[in-house]
Amino acid sequence: MSEQQSWHGTTILSVRKGNEVVVAGDGQVSLGPTVIKGNARKVRRIGQKGEIMVGFAGATADAFTLLERLEAKLDRHPGQTMRACVELAKDWRTDRYLRKLEAMMAVADKDVSLVLTGQGDVLEPEDGIIAIGSGGNYALAAARALIDQDLSAEEIARKAMAIAGEICVYTNGNVLLEKIDIEEAK
């Protein structure tokens, strides 16, 4: 891959509303102006019982490396999503190898929604909406505009992802969505 060409793609959106929290991701992976794949799976469930949803943006191998590291942290700190994310962020920031990874993660469980970055950030949005990736700002704006409507978290995420897909050339309409019913999860 030449230095001019780089991987682009991904819109990941998490919405927390009422008794639901969802994480949605589009399926497009692009290399320069070319769509390489339209059905990539960028949202996963992890944890002992699949109780944590993770969406990732950035270089695929880097994202999977971080996902594996997060799973290891969760094994060491079961049921403590925040602590596991903070521990991962500390490693990510201080480990020479991990510092070079180019990815971001959105993590959500029944209690908390977080963004993890390579700068060591573990961010919890005050409005329960997270968006990362090339179409993230479009999805974030759309979700914020829809949050006060009489819509579920899933409906908001699907509409916001559709809007992002219409605007961002690196985002498609092939959306994978994972959902947790907060009441059932308790």
Side-chain angles (χ1 to χ4, degrees):
M1 179 167 59
S2 73
E3 289 183 351
Q4 274 75 28
Q5 288 188 318
S6 62
W7 290 96
H8 287 286
T10 306
T11 298
I12 302 293
L13 175 66
S14 178
V15 178
R16 182 177 293 274
K17 183 178 181 185
N19 288 327
E20 284 183 341
V21 60
V22 300
V23 176
D26 79 306
Q28 183 168 310
V29 176
S30 303
L31 178 59
T34 305
V35 174
I36 300 297
K37 185 173 184 173
N39 64 346
R41 189 169 164 247
K42 304 170 195 172
V43 176
R44 306 251 196 260
R45 283 189 175 265
I46 62 172
Q48 294 173 344
K49 299 175 187 171
E51 70 277 14
I52 300 165
M53 302 173 294
V54 178
F56 49 85
T60 306
D62 293 354
F64 279 115
T65 298
L66 293 169
L67 189 63
E68 288 173 6
R69 295 282 182 125
L70 180 58
E71 287 178 306
K73 296 294 183 188
L74 287 164
D75 287 343
R76 293 178 90 191
H77 307 289
Q80 299 178 59
T81 303
M82 175 71 86
R83 180 166 183 195
C85 288
V86 168
E87 293 296 322
L88 175 61
K90 283 197 275 187
D91 289 353
W92 195 353
R93 178 80 173 139
T94 59
D95 184 283
R96 195 177 283 249
Y97 167 73
L98 292 178
R99 251 192 318 227
K100 296 180 184 196
L101 300 182
E102 296 180 12
M104 291 181 73
M105 297 174 71
V107 179
D109 69 8
K110 66 182 176 48
D111 298 314
V112 67
S113 298
L114 304 166
V115 174
L116 281 72
T117 75
Q119 284 72 48
D121 299 317
V122 179
L123 307 169
E124 182 177 8
E126 60 187 39
D127 59 3
I129 303 170
I130 292 172
I132 60 174
S134 57
N137 287 335
Y138 306 118
L140 179 65
R144 284 185 175 166
L146 294 167
I147 198 73
D148 293 333
Q149 303 297 311
D150 188 25
L151 300 169
S152 69
E154 181 175 351
E155 291 168 322
I156 291 168
R158 289 194 184 279
K159 286 179 180 274
M161 290 295 290
I163 290 167
E166 292 173 2
I167 299 169
C168 178
V169 297
Y170 298 114
T171 302
N172 70 12
N174 187 2
V175 174
L176 174 68
L177 183 136
E178 293 285 349
K179 175 172 66 171
I180 294 175
D181 183 308
I182 295 170
E183 291 302 314
E184 287 178 16
K186 288 187 177 182

